[in-house]
Amino acid sequence: MVQEKNNEGNQISRRSFLTTGATAAAGFMIVPRHVLGGKGYTAPSDRLRVAGIGVGGKGESDIADIAKGPADIVVLCDVDDARAANSVKKFPKAKYYRDFREMLDKEHKNIDAVTVSTPDHQHAVAAMAAMQLGKHVYVQKPLTHDIYEARMLTEAAKKYKVVTQMGNQGASGDGVRQLMEWYNAGLIGDVHTVYCWTNRPVWPQGIPWPTASAEVPKTLDWDLWLGTAPKKDFVNKLVPFNWRGWWDYGTGALGDMGCHIVEPPFRVLGLGYPTSAEASVGSVYVDEFKQGYFPDSCPPSSHVIMNFKGKNGDIKLHWMDGGIQPARPEELGPNERMGDGGNGAIFIGTKGKMMCGTYGMYPSLLPTSRNAEANVPKTIARVPEGHYVQWVNACIAGYGKKELSAPFDIAGPLTETILMGNLAIRSYDIRKPKADGKGFEYPGRYIKLLWDGPNMKITNFDDANQFVKRTYRDGWTLGK
C-alpha cells in the first residue's frame, strides 16, 4: 500500500486536533521505498487507500466512482448511520467512524487520500484537517461555504503538496473543451456578456426557521452534523437534503449549481476574481403589502451580475436562479432547446454566440447550423478516464506529476467567484433601523459592491464583509 506523508507523532489527541487543526508541523515520515522519490512521491504500482467523509447520498456515489479506479475504500465516516448504510454494505471491510477528527487521529497512517462529501459548512474543516496530514483530497462542490475558506484551502494545497480535485464533474467533460477550442479559434470573437441560469432551488427557500423542534433520529449525531454551525435544536425536513436552503449550512442555488454552470465560462474566458457584484432577489409576502424577512434562509430566486476584467475587455456575467431565464437568443430556433432546458450558459461575443447546458454538456454554436461547419481541430486533451479516476491516478503518481481538471488552484478561485455572488445576495438582506425609529432601511440594496479580490474585501460597503468569513462554533477551527 502507498505510504503518504504522515505526522511523525504516534497519535493526535482529539483535544489537540480541535485546537491546532492537526497541523503536521512535526514533519512527515516517508517509508524507505519512497525516500529516493523525494517529497510527494508515491509508488506508481500501488493502489490508493481512501477514506470517505460523508458517505451517504452524493458521498455514496462519490466513493463508488472513486473505487472504479485503482483505489480501495478502507475507511468510512458519517454522522448518520442510516445514510451511511449502503456504503457500509458495499465496503464491508472498511472501518467505520462518525467523527472525522477521530477517524484521522486513528487512521491517518492507514490512508493516502480523503473524500469530503458533507454539507457545505463542513467542507473546509474536514479537507484542511486531511491536507495538514499530507492526505490528498477530493472535495464536493462548492469547495467551501465561505470565501475565506476557499482561499485557505487553495493555499494549503500548495503548502502541503497534496493532489486536489473539486467535485464539479463537468470540468473533466468533453463539452467545456469543445467550447474552449471554438473560442480559442475565434469563432465568436471576444465575449463581453455571459448568461448562466438554473431552475434550482428544488428545496424550500425564502421561509422562516421552523418554530417546533423535533426528536433527533437515533441514527444521527446531531451535534457532529452541526459541526462549525451555531448550536440549534433539531428540526424536521432539514436533514438530509433541505439544509441547502439555509445560510448556516448551505450556499443556496448558486452554491449548489454555480460550480457546474459558471465553470465553463470561467474556464473558457480565463476569468479571475470579479471586480464588482450586484444582486436582486425574489420577495416573499406574508400578508397584504407585508414582505417577509427571513435572513437565515436563501431567497426563492435571485439575479446576480458580476463584472470581470477580461483579456480583451470587460466581461459581464449574469447569474439567474429560481427558474428565471435570460432572453432567448434570436439565433435559436423556436423549437430548439435553450441550454439543457432548466439550466445553461450563453456566451455572447463580438462575432457570434455559443451555449451549453449543465456541466458544459450539449455545447453548440448559434445558430446551431454552424456546428456542422465548425471544423476546429482538437487541441485540448480529453479525460477519457473521467473526473474521479483522473484524481485517483494523479494521487498515485504524486503531487505535480499529472494534470487535473479541477485542482484547488482552479477550483478555489471559481468557488470564490460563486460565493462572491452569495455575498451580494446576502447583503441585500442587511437592514438597520431608520433614524426616526419607523421601520428599517436596507443599505445593501440597489448598489454595486466593489470587490478587492486579492484582499478579499468589499471596499464601498463594509457591512457586507461579514459574509467573507464566518465565526465557527466553539471547538472548531480551520487549521492553526
Side-chain angles (χ1 to χ4, degrees):
M1 292 298 178
V2 178
Q3 289 292 328
E4 275 288 350
K5 303 171 287 184
N6 289 325
N7 192 287
E8 288 181 343
N10 293 327
Q11 287 291 332
I12 305 169
S13 70
R14 179 176 176 184
R15 182 176 182 181
S16 173
F17 198 102
L18 287 171
T19 56
T20 68
T23 58
F28 297 111
M29 178 177 68
I30 303 177
V31 297
R33 65 173 174 167
H34 292 176
V35 171
L36 295 177
K39 188 175 183 180
Y41 175 80
T42 60
S45 61
D46 288 339
R47 293 176 64 84
L48 193 71
R49 300 172 302 174
V50 181
I53 301 176
V55 294
K58 183 57 183 170
E60 178 184 339
S61 63
D62 280 345
I63 60 173
D65 282 328
I66 284 168
K68 293 176 182 177
D72 298 312
I73 308 302
V74 297
V75 183
L76 303 172
C77 183
D78 202 293
V79 300
D80 190 335
D81 298 343
R83 291 281 287 173
N86 288 340
S87 292
V88 170
K89 183 178 180 180
K90 185 168 184 177
F91 302 100
K93 294 182 180 180
K95 293 183 179 180
Y96 180 74
Y97 294 85
R98 275 189 166 184
D99 191 332
F100 75 81
R101 299 165 299 182
E102 179 187 4
M103 181 272 287
L104 289 173
D105 183 15
K106 294 181 177 179
E107 303 292 341
H108 65 278
K109 291 184 179 180
N110 303 317
I111 61 176
D112 310 305
V114 171
T115 66
V116 179
S117 305
T118 66
D120 301 349
H121 70 295
Q122 289 293 91
H123 284 186
V125 290
M128 182 66 83
M131 287 194 289
Q132 289 179 327
L133 289 170
K135 308 306 173 187
H136 308 304
V137 290
Y138 181 102
V139 183
Q140 256 308 322
K141 54 78 194 167
L143 184 61
T144 62
H145 183 279
D146 304 341
I147 294 171
Y148 173 81
E149 293 174 329
R151 186 71 59 89
M152 293 303 101
L153 290 196
T154 302
E155 294 177 357
K158 297 177 181 178
K159 178 179 179 180
Y160 298 107
K161 298 187 183 303
V162 293
V163 177
T164 59
Q165 185 97 300
M166 183 170 73
N168 54 331
Q169 309 92 296
S172 291
D174 291 354
V176 67
R177 287 159 177 76
Q178 177 72 85
L179 293 167
M180 292 174 69
E181 288 162 349
W182 284 341
Y183 187 64
N184 293 341
L187 296 190
I188 65 170
D190 294 324
V191 167
H192 52 79
T193 306
V194 178
Y195 289 95
C196 299
W197 72 93
T198 181
N199 56 7
R200 297 203 179 197
V202 291
W203 52 83
Q205 288 192 181
I207 58 175
W209 182 259
T211 56
S213 59
E215 183 178 353
V216 179
K218 294 180 179 180
T219 61
L220 173 67
D221 188 319
W222 175 237
D223 188 68
L224 283 179
W225 190 95
L226 284 172
T228 59
K231 182 69 174 179
K232 285 185 178 180
D233 290 337
F234 180 82
V235 295
N236 285 324
K237 297 185 178 180
L238 177 70
V239 177
F241 189 74
N242 291 341
W243 54 264
R244 291 165 172 80
W246 299 98
W247 291 121
D248 278 345
Y249 322 112
T251 49
L254 178 49
D256 187 72
M257 292 300 291
C259 289
H260 293 316
I261 298 172
V262 177
E263 195 273 343
F266 196 86
R267 187 180 299 262
V268 169
L269 305 177
L271 301 180
Y273 301 131
T275 58
S276 66
E278 52 192 296
S280 57
V281 305
S283 300
V284 176
Y285 279 80
V286 296
D287 206 340
E288 297 174 1
F289 296 98
K290 185 178 181 181
Q291 186 173 344
Y293 182 67
F294 310 120
D296 294 333
S297 177
C298 308
S301 60
S302 68
H303 179 195
V304 178
I305 304 171
M306 288 184 277
N307 293 287
F308 299 83
K309 292 292 184 183
K311 296 178 181 178
N312 298 305
D314 294 343
I315 298 172
K316 190 180 296 290
L317 186 147
H318 294 257
W319 169 265
M320 301 173 174
D321 60 44
I324 300 173
Q325 295 190 353
R328 187 178 183 84
E330 294 180 357
E331 299 88 344
L332 195 61
N335 292 323
E336 291 182 306
R337 182 177 59 184
M338 188 169 75
D340 59 30
N343 313 274
I346 295 173
F347 302 70
I348 302 177
T350 53
K351 296 180 180 179
K353 300 174 185 177
M354 62 184 184
M355 70 176 183
C356 65
T358 314
Y359 312 118
M361 294 176 66
Y362 317 118
S364 179
L365 294 165
L366 298 178
T368 55
S369 59
R370 293 188 65 191
N371 295 333
E373 305 168 3
N375 297 316
V376 174
K378 291 184 178 181
T379 57
I380 302 171
R382 272 35 177 185
V383 187
E385 70 272 29
H387 201 60
Y388 294 93
V389 177
Q390 181 196 55
W391 174 73
V392 171
N393 290 337
C395 291
I396 293 173
Y399 178 76
K401 302 295 185 181
K402 286 184 176 291
E403 185 175 350
L404 290 124
S405 299
F408 289 0
D409 59 347
I410 295 175
L414 169 60
T415 298
E416 286 192 40
T417 295
I418 299 303
L419 299 178
M420 178 60 201
N422 273 345
L423 181 148
I425 291 171
R426 299 189 72 178
S427 296
Y428 194 87
D429 263 345
I430 292 175
R431 73 179 187 181
K432 297 182 177 181
K434 291 183 178 179
D436 60 6
K438 298 179 180 180
F440 298 90
E441 59 182 0
Y442 298 84
R445 298 182 181 182
Y446 320 120
I447 64 172
K448 178 185 289 187
L449 300 173
L450 304 180
W451 180 240
D452 177 355
N455 293 305
M456 294 183 287
K457 185 178 182 179
I458 295 293
T459 59
N460 65 320
F461 182 50
D462 191 56
D463 285 348
N465 288 310
Q466 65 183 287
F467 304 123
V468 173
K469 178 185 178 183
R470 66 200 159 104
T471 300
Y472 290 166
R473 189 160 58 111
D474 287 348
W476 296 86
T477 62
L478 183 65
K480 57 184 178 180

